[in-house]
Amino acid sequence: MTERGKYYAVVADDHAIVRSGLRTALETPGQIELQGIEVVAEAENGLEAIALTRQHKPDLLLLDVQMPLAGGVEVIVEVRRWSPGTRIVVLTGVTAVGMISALVDSGVDGLFSKGDDNTELYARLPGILRGQRHVAARFVSVLNAPARPQLSGRERQILNMILGGHSNKEIAALLGISAKTVDKHRTSMMQKLDVHSVPQLMAFALREGLVDPASEL
């Protein structure tokens, strides 16, 4: 913040319409801050978010953690390295408890859901700029929910391969195990996660971020 009391921000999101809406809200006098918050740069990927924050050292970085080239905690770590005074506020559509927990542990100053309207975000930003931290209520609920059963390394490996479209027979051949063993692992996963078909298993795994579909083996 300058001596005149104005704040400066970088907005990072891979969707131009989201960046535009956030810029308008930030810069409108009185909507969040009396003088508005000037957006000095916009980033459309994670590497740009790091570079622009390093260049401008803004008071605020509004960050989507699911962007091309770099994302998640990686961007937060680099921003902290190059601009430790920047307040980092994450806007995300992620609901997986593992990712939410990692973001909270990374020390973000604010964590808000893209699934909610912006009322909570705009109401909390002034306090965050002045040193407060805030995690949206829906994420607090996620973090406080009973822990789900954990999949074993072999179960995750097989789940990745199921997502890749492999049959039990193909998975068995690739892993050097029997098709019956593959079926036992699949049944175990479904029981742990309380799903009742392979499509439900796949949908649940993708929605909850349990697997990396890009990695089969």
Side-chain angles (χ1 to χ4, degrees), residues 21-206:
L22 290 171
R23 174 187 280 271
T24 297
L26 290 170
E27 294 189 334
T28 300
Q31 180 155 343
I32 299 171
E33 281 290 321
L34 184 62
Q35 298 186 48
I37 302 169
E38 183 177 337
V39 176
V40 294
E42 296 181 12
E44 62 181 19
N45 61 63
L47 291 182
E48 281 188 358
I50 296 168
L52 291 170
T53 304
R54 180 181 181 182
Q55 176 185 349
H56 295 282
K57 293 183 170 52
D59 302 290
L60 173 67
L61 170 64
L62 279 181
L63 175 68
D64 175 9
V65 293
Q66 292 180 298
M67 289 191 297
L69 303 184
V73 175
E74 177 187 1
V75 175
I76 296 167
V77 169
E78 288 300 307
V79 167
R80 289 285 187 228
R81 176 185 177 192
W82 296 111
S83 185
T86 296
R87 308 292 288 173
I88 302 174
V89 173
V90 168
L91 307 175
T92 182
V94 171
T95 59
V97 64
M99 177 57 76
I100 298 305
S101 180
L103 290 169
V104 171
D105 290 345
S106 74
V108 292
D109 301 294
L111 183 58
F112 297 86
S113 173
K114 283 188 170 182
D116 298 332
D117 63 37
N118 288 327
T119 303
E120 185 178 14
L121 170 66
Y122 297 159
R124 294 291 183 172
L125 274 178
I128 291 171
L129 284 166
R130 292 165 176 81
Q132 298 176 11
R133 295 184 70 197
H134 183 76
V135 176
R138 76 157 57 199
F139 293 138
V140 173
S141 298
V142 169
L143 293 171
N144 290 337
R148 293 190 180 94
Q150 297 296 306
L151 300 184
S152 68
R154 177 64 94 184
E155 287 170 341
R156 283 179 174 270
Q157 186 179 37
I158 291 173
L159 187 48
N160 273 306
M161 299 178 80
I162 293 172
L163 287 168
H166 295 291
S167 67
N168 280 11
K169 186 176 180 179
E170 290 170 334
I171 294 171
L174 287 167
L175 297 181
I177 58 179
S178 70
K180 186 176 181 180
T181 299
V182 174
D183 187 62
K184 285 183 178 179
H185 281 301
R186 187 174 67 178
T187 300
S188 173
M189 286 186 281
M190 293 170 66
Q191 289 175 342
K192 283 183 178 181
L193 301 177
D194 193 27
V195 297
H196 308 288
S197 68
V198 172
Q200 286 182 356
L201 175 65
M202 295 168 67
F204 184 95
L206 289 170

